[in-house]
Amino acid sequence: MYKHLKLYITKKAYVLAPETGSNLTVHRDTGALELTETIPSASEQESTLNVYGLLGFIQLFAGDYMMTITKREQIGTIQGKAIYRVGGFQILPLAQDTSRLSEEQKSQEQTFVNLLESHLKNNTFYFSYDYDLTQSIQRQAQFSSEKLAEPLYKRADERFFWNRFVATKLIDAAFDTSSFILPVMQGFVELDQCKINGKNFAWGLITRRSRHRPGTRYFSRGIDAQGHVSNFVETEQVVLYDGESTSQQVVGEVELSFVQTRGSIPVYWAQVINLKYTPRLWIGETRKSLAAARAHFDEQIRIYGPQILVNLINKKGYELPMGQAYARTVEQLNDPRLYYTHFDFHSECSKMRWHRIQLLVDQLKDKLNEQGYTYYDTADKSLKKTQTSVVRSNCMDCLDRTNVVQSTLARYVLTQQLRELGILEANQKVEDQEEFMNSYRNVWADNADGVSCVYSGTGALKTDFTRTGNRTKAGALKDLQNSITRYVKNNFLDGSRQDSFDLFLGKYHLEHDAHGPFASSKPLRVRVVPYILLFALFMLFLNLIRPNYSGFKSYTSYFLLLLFWVSVLISGVRFAIKHGDEFVQWPRLVKLPPTDDISETGFTEKGNMSPPEITKEELPAL
């Protein structure tokens, strides 16, 4: 892999020149790729740019756009191989003449570019030139010598190869471009140098988000026909140790890892946002849903082994039907490789009794001890231990409760790992090491925020417990703030965020939509209501703060004026709630949800999720 490229920009081409090796020339008029040995002369160069990686290309109305990494931040090393976070990027258009485009196409072109920019700015991306971040330590250790000899992008796990779609132009080139194809992972990576009992080791997390069924909280739920679930995340806890070495920088002569997964409940379901704080829940349990669940678990078992399914949603109220649907699905699959347990997190840990999470750990101890963890000796390249199964956790969003439980299970396993390495004594536990636990809790809390921001739009809830080991009132207030922010973003901003996922990951193809998707607008009555509400709110406050502004002399007239503006506000809010689905910002590139996925939930043929009445016979789970 080329670790540093010089980009020469001319009127005719973009030339990416490595320090050694052939240059990649991108012809701006045709978009064709070519390997060349020369760089443009100084007189031809319009500008130059330092580039640390090529994300790929995407085609819009005017032609291709090239996306490059222009800044990188090293965050650690594994096996002496540097791991980077993307610190900056640039999107470069190949076309210079856009006169052939209509004004509408030019406007929509800019909207597409804005979506790409927001996607790259608002997500965190990681890469390495010589370490495969998309594969766990165990999977890499099990690769054959032939597999290891392949270029990095061919070895990458396609689920976590985030820029796989935009790299298609490079992958499909008629000549070898493997040195320019850089697999980039979306998720979270943090590695800390630690010391316990005078022994140095490195510890950290690598969280990988799947590019299948991607998106935002309410526009991506459940499962699809291929068995892909929303918000599927693999988190690998790694320990690197160099034995009795006194070096402060741990290379990783011995590597230990423990992998967990999370993902949406694998049935067809959705929550229809319509401005209400708690959206209406829709569940479609059919033979098709069961087949999708089977496809999902077949893939999970093939990759990870038997599944320990930990369901953390409530056993009462709003979430009850989801728990019932999940349990029925597992029961109907009747697969001995699936072990299902339902731990009502909110009930068990109510009134800040967070120590009761230990009940779940105690319940799963035998399963955790049986599944083990990875122990890889890099010196003689021997896999001394393997992890034979995986814990798959979920709550409704697979964010907050899930992360708390995952960090607790990982802590239990970490104690076993550090004891085996001799870092901990036989009678010691990780939680007794105060200095290390400060690092441990904060990394897991940062991981929670990293996963949550992409899916829900805010940091995770309950991170005060993850960071400190205690639930606090300040943490509860922070959760309230995040919940309100989530409500606003999920209803009014997530349509565009979902579009950015669908565009970058190739779920939407412009060639099938020659006129673009942004032409339609909301009805006038919907567009004016927010302005009326803002004006009424302004006038109400103005008259409250400055009573003389109204000009009325009598208290009765002044009071009636206030009642008028209050009535306007109430009427506007009632109208918005009644027609809530028209005020929500829906995705415009890919219609959601597909009606053939949730056939029993009453979605309209247009896919606009307007909620009709449903009888008990039609939806017995509710």
Side-chain angles (χ1 to χ4, degrees), residues 138 257-260 306 308 339 358 360-374 384-391 408-420 429:
Q138 180 165 308
S257 87
F258 176 64
V259 172
Q260 297 181 79
I308 302 170
Y339 172 82
Q358 187 61 38
L360 178 61
V361 179
D362 293 339
Q363 178 185 340
L364 296 177
K365 268 185 181 179
D366 290 343
K367 292 289 182 181
L368 292 174
N369 293 334
E370 181 182 342
Q371 78 173 200
Y373 49 81
T374 302
K384 298 185 181 300
K385 284 188 177 182
T386 59
Q387 183 176 333
T388 58
S389 63
V390 73
V391 177
T408 305
L409 297 177
R411 188 181 66 207
Y412 171 80
V413 173
L414 184 59
T415 293
Q416 317 306 316
Q417 292 174 324
L418 296 185
R419 283 176 180 173
E420 178 164 2
K429 295 181 179 180

Side-chain angles (χ1 to χ4, degrees), residues 115 216 218-220 270-275 279 282 489-500 502 517-518 520 522 526 579-593 603-604 606-611:
L115 288 175
T216 59
Y218 288 130
F219 295 136
S220 183
Q271 286 174 285
V272 183
I273 52 174
N274 55 4
L275 299 189
W282 305 77
K489 288 189 173 183
N490 295 162
N491 281 275
F492 306 115
L493 301 173
D494 274 2
S496 293
R497 285 211 305 132
Q498 182 68 47
D499 285 339
S500 72
D502 292 334
F518 304 113
S520 61
K522 293 181 178 181
V526 173
H579 303 276
D581 58 319
E582 296 186 54
F583 287 86
V584 169
Q585 187 191 69
W586 299 99
R588 290 181 286 182
L589 298 188
V590 178
K591 290 184 178 181
L592 296 174
F603 289 104
T604 67
K606 294 181 180 180
N608 63 4
M609 298 196 290
S610 59

Side-chain angles (χ1 to χ4, degrees), residues 26-46:
V26 185
H27 295 281
R28 299 182 65 172
D29 54 349
T30 63
L33 303 179
E34 182 184 6
L35 287 180
T36 59
E37 301 300 328
T38 60
I39 61 173
S41 63
S43 60
E44 293 178 295
Q45 297 174 19
E46 293 184 340

Side-chain angles (χ1 to χ4, degrees), residues 310 312 341 343-345 348-350 352-366 368-369 404-413 415-416 419 429-432 437 440-441 465 469:
V310 178
L312 301 171
T341 184
F343 182 81
D344 188 333
F345 185 95
E348 295 290 349
C349 302
S350 63
M352 298 193 178
R353 298 175 298 167
W354 294 77
H355 62 280
R356 289 176 60 82
I357 298 175
Q358 187 61 38
L359 295 175
L360 178 61
V361 179
D362 293 339
Q363 178 185 340
L364 296 177
K365 268 185 181 179
D366 290 343
L368 292 174
N369 293 334
V404 171
V405 167
Q406 282 196 339
S407 67
T408 305
L409 297 177
R411 188 181 66 207
Y412 171 80
V413 173
T415 293
Q416 317 306 316
R419 283 176 180 173
K429 295 181 179 180
V430 164
E431 47 264 49
D432 298 330
M437 282 305 297
Y440 182 87
R441 291 184 179 122
F465 175 77

Side-chain angles (χ1 to χ4, degrees), residues 533-603:
L533 288 173
L534 287 173
F535 182 71
L537 190 62
F538 170 76
M539 294 302 296
L540 179 62
F541 275 114
L542 181 64
N543 283 284
L544 285 172
I545 296 170
R546 298 183 61 186
N548 295 332
Y549 178 81
S550 65
F552 292 123
K553 301 296 183 181
S554 69
Y555 285 109
T556 302
S557 299
Y558 173 68
F559 183 67
L560 289 174
L561 178 64
L562 294 181
L563 283 179
F564 169 75
W565 290 120
V566 169
S567 67
V568 172
L569 281 172
I570 293 174
S571 298
V573 170
R574 291 182 64 183
F575 178 85
I577 292 175
K578 183 177 180 180
H579 303 276
D581 58 319
E582 296 186 54
F583 287 86
V584 169
Q585 187 191 69
W586 299 99
R588 290 181 286 182
L589 298 188
V590 178
K591 290 184 178 181
L592 296 174
T595 54
D596 60 342
D597 275 3
I598 308 182
S599 57
E600 299 182 7
T601 55
F603 289 104

Side-chain angles (χ1 to χ4, degrees), residues 147-160:
K147 184 77 171 177
L148 291 171
E150 293 180 345
L152 189 62
Y153 83 91
K154 288 188 177 181
R155 303 200 309 265
D157 190 323
E158 59 87 23
R159 297 174 300 163
F160 309 125

Side-chain angles (χ1 to χ4, degrees), residues 226-244:
Q226 290 72 43
H228 301 134
V229 294
S230 298
N231 201 30
F232 181 82
V233 176
E234 174 189 286
T235 297
E236 181 180 22
Q237 178 176 265
V238 299
V239 178
L240 309 177
Y241 187 50
D242 291 342
E244 299 298 327

